[in-house]
Amino acid sequence: MEIEKPLMVVAIDFGTTYSSWACSMRHEYEDNPTKIHVRQWIGGEHLSPKAPTTVLIKPDGTTLEAFGYAAQDKYAELVEGGQHKLWYFFTRFKMKIFTTNGLSRQTMIEDITGKLLPAVTVFSRAIQVMKDDFLSQFKSKLEGRLEERDIRWVLTVPAIWNESAKQFMRQAAVTAGIRNEYLRIALEPEAASLLCSYLPMKTFTISGKHSTFQTFKKGSKYMILDAGGGTVDVTVHEVLGTGKMKELHKASGGAWGGTVVDGAFRQFLIKLVGNSIFQKFSMEHTDDLLDMLRTFEVKKREIQTKKDSTIILRIPISLLNIYKNETGKVLQESISQNEFAGKVKIINDKIKLEGTFFREFFTQAIQSITSFVRTLLQNKNLEGVKSIIMVGGFSECLILQESIISSFPEINTIIPQDAGLVVLKGAVIYGHNDDMILERVCRYTYGIAGAIPFVKGVHKDEYMEESDVGPLCNSIFVKIVEAGQHIKLHERQAERYFSLNSEDQDHYTFPVYISTSVSPTYVTDVGCSKLGSLTISGIDTSVPLKDRKVAVSMIFGGTELEVEARDVHTKEITTVILDFLQ
């Protein structure tokens, strides 16, 4: 059993593009919640508070060789020596579980060469290396002072992820050696909101027409725009006082993060040299590709909307040579005859991109984000929102900042220092105090399948089934909570009773469904899907069958769904297993 107030909290921000961990002791949190230790990673000649989310696994398919910058460097060495073909190199793989339908423990993901490994293996190795890295960094400081149960681990996930994806991350963390009872799941924009509520005003850059900045005053409402590498999460909070908050609108967003910009740049390179040449370059000179993408990442954050200066990147000589060998032409000369004439120039090993053309890489992502935010702000339930707080690594991009400021001049746009670290640090605060969000809004309608008396002409004939009490209509969506419903933290829903059917039955399993509709009729309606199953076990078989019933109550309002079941006859709490991984 975990203690109520852990002596240390360690948060792992598992990002699409970059990841890291941070921590603080209980006494540090009580003295100053923002006093948080952030890991510094070595990348080349620089220190960075985050490392690339890259994993290198040995040819056996299970053993981790390296993570982050070290994984990139080691893989580049293997490629250069022609020894990489049996190794597994994964990069920017987090979004795989967001885009995968029917996510399961057997879900496979591809490395950059198309080789497959179980997703849970790749994710757990990434979490494990950060867990072990923390323990090695703090071993001398913690030895003899802290036991395993004194540490609470926090793992961040996007707020728009469903229960299946959250359970997958929890499973990966447990596989990595973090005990289930010591782990909390934090929603990324919520974590950011918590940190921002503690930061002094001087640490924010503020743009907007309002003369006073009272974002965290009791009664104030603000939007958190968490723009990361993969997803953009948006949530809206109202301050309740005493540091508590409530969610005003269900978490929403989409896959419009910084990798969309990276994808546009990659498509430009493919058009520039041709797909086959780009793939050959990617496979044979991975180190040069990674260097080019690192440089692009820096330029991506610095580019501004109002400047027409030329953007200069280094183009690898290896790519120029492959192009010449494959086509018999010089790339510099070919550009003058294709669609990039006047927009792109190559001089020696430099590629110069006209500023307006470079900004086109951002068009899709920024239009998606601004359009979504605009629609959200028109919601009548969000009247009074006067601030947008931009957090996440992509929020450090100047062109995104300027686009939000210019698109919503009537609202304060607030950008904290080190916006890319806000989620990570906020997750540490959440680990110390996980009841600061007192009310959340359901993203989906949750329910179970049930049966009601069949009414001819009302119900579908295919769902009719005869029973001792007359014809019944099966597959009815029995609603428990509905999308958009405001639910208080750990709010217990009405109990549902289930009877067992045979003398030797000591467990009961039934499916749980979700729907994007507020009031679906059948579990097969458009927008409905099976979330997973719920199994109640440990039921006393000595109780007569007619009295053998269980009462099940679902508990919402936290970052994960909870369920409690009790044996009606013995009144004992029974074991419940939630399985959202198909």
Side-chain angles (χ1 to χ4, degrees), residues 207-350:
S207 300
K209 72 175 186 178
H210 298 287
S211 58
T212 57
F213 175 48
Q214 297 180 322
T215 298
F216 302 105
K217 181 181 178 181
K218 183 178 180 180
S220 61
K221 303 173 183 178
Y222 59 92
M223 176 183 293
I224 291 284
L225 176 65
D226 178 16
T231 59
V232 173
D233 266 359
V234 180
T235 191
V236 182
H237 284 165
E238 178 179 349
V239 180
L240 300 177
T242 64
K244 307 292 184 178
M245 306 169 194
K246 73 174 181 179
E247 190 176 50
L248 295 179
H249 189 274
K250 62 182 180 181
S252 49
W256 315 312
T259 52
V260 175
V261 182
D262 301 340
F265 177 64
R266 183 180 289 263
Q267 288 303 310
F268 155 70
L269 292 176
I270 290 173
K271 283 185 178 181
L272 184 69
V273 301
N275 185 62
S276 61
I277 291 174
F278 182 77
Q279 295 305 323
K280 183 179 179 68
F281 164 68
S282 300
M283 299 304 299
E284 296 180 0
H285 300 277
T286 308
D287 53 341
D288 288 340
L289 175 62
L290 292 174
D291 283 342
M292 191 176 192
L293 293 178
R294 286 177 186 174
T295 304
F296 177 76
E297 182 70 25
V298 174
K299 299 294 184 181
K300 184 175 75 174
R301 293 169 186 253
E302 294 177 346
I303 181 68
Q304 299 183 43
T305 56
K306 299 176 182 177
K307 291 187 178 181
D308 294 325
S309 58
T310 301
I311 308 301
I312 300 175
L313 300 170
R314 191 186 73 82
I315 187 165
I317 297 297
S318 56
L319 178 56
L320 297 175
N321 289 339
I322 292 174
Y323 185 86
K324 186 175 182 180
N325 292 337
E326 294 289 325
T327 67
K329 301 177 183 179
V330 177
L331 183 57
Q332 294 93 318
E333 298 173 357
S334 298
I335 290 176
S336 62
Q337 302 169 9
N338 63 28
E339 62 181 293
F340 301 119
K343 302 175 183 178
V344 178
K345 292 182 181 179
I346 293 180
I347 301 176
N348 298 323
D349 64 342
K350 300 291 191 301

Side-chain angles (χ1 to χ4, degrees), residues 346-540:
I346 293 180
I347 301 176
N348 298 323
D349 64 342
K350 300 291 191 301
I351 182 168
K352 298 185 177 182
L353 306 175
E354 192 266 329
T356 303
F357 175 73
F358 188 88
R359 287 191 288 273
E360 290 179 5
F361 298 143
F362 296 80
T363 301
Q364 181 184 347
I366 288 177
Q367 285 183 348
S368 297
I369 296 169
T370 54
S371 176
F372 183 80
V373 171
R374 183 174 291 106
T375 300
L376 202 58
L377 288 172
Q378 292 171 352
N379 188 316
K380 64 179 181 179
N381 295 325
L382 301 185
E383 291 180 0
V385 173
K386 291 185 168 55
S387 302
I388 298 174
I389 303 177
M390 296 181 64
V391 301
F394 191 27
S395 284
E396 294 182 349
C397 171
L398 295 178
I399 193 170
L400 177 59
Q401 294 178 8
E402 293 170 1
S403 296
I404 295 296
I405 292 169
S406 62
S407 297
F408 308 102
E410 73 284 0
I411 290 180
N412 281 337
T413 299
I414 301 166
I415 306 162
Q417 289 179 4
D418 298 323
L421 295 177
V422 170
V423 169
L424 173 61
K425 292 181 176 181
V428 176
I429 293 175
Y430 176 81
H432 284 293
N433 191 355
D434 60 2
D435 65 352
M436 295 176 71
I437 310 294
L438 293 181
E439 186 176 299
R440 293 182 173 92
V441 181
C442 261
R443 293 191 63 226
Y444 301 104
T445 298
Y446 288 74
I448 58 176
I452 61 176
F454 183 85
V455 179
K456 187 70 175 177
V458 174
H459 296 133
K460 293 182 178 180
D461 292 340
E462 62 261 38
Y463 294 137
M464 189 187 77
E465 182 178 294
E466 293 293 342
S467 74
D468 294 340
V469 295
L472 295 176
C473 181
N474 288 320
S475 299
I476 293 292
F477 193 109
V478 180
K479 183 166 58 177
I480 298 173
V481 294
E482 66 182 37
Q485 180 177 338
H486 291 252
I487 299 179
K488 296 189 183 303
L489 181 64
H490 305 314
E491 182 176 314
R492 187 182 301 271
Q493 304 305 305
E495 287 185 329
R496 307 274 173 173
Y497 293 87
F498 298 89
S499 299
L500 280 73
N501 302 316
S502 62
E503 289 291 345
D504 60 350
Q505 187 178 359
D506 62 355
H507 68 279
Y508 192 99
T509 299
F510 58 89
V512 178
Y513 295 88
I514 57 173
S515 176
T516 54
S517 171
V518 172
S519 297
T521 302
Y522 303 100
V523 296
T524 55
D525 284 353
V526 174
C528 294
S529 60
K530 181 183 175 182
L531 177 63
S533 62
L534 192 157
T535 299
I536 305 152
S537 59
I539 300 170
D540 190 351

Side-chain angles (χ1 to χ4, degrees), residues 149-209:
R149 73 187 193 96
D150 295 327
I151 302 175
R152 174 177 288 169
W153 297 85
V154 179
L155 186 61
T156 65
V157 301
I160 60 174
W161 276 13
N162 61 22
E163 298 293 337
S164 299
K166 286 186 279 189
Q167 185 177 356
F168 178 91
M169 292 300 289
R170 177 175 282 277
Q171 179 63 57
V174 171
T175 303
I178 297 175
R179 289 182 58 171
N180 191 56
E181 61 267 36
Y182 302 155
L183 177 65
R184 294 288 187 273
I185 298 294
L187 306 183
E188 291 168 0
E190 288 188 356
S193 183
L194 298 184
L195 178 73
C196 290
S197 68
Y198 285 108
L199 293 176
M201 298 301 101
K202 64 182 180 179
T203 62
F204 293 96
T205 299
I206 307 168
S207 300
K209 72 175 186 178

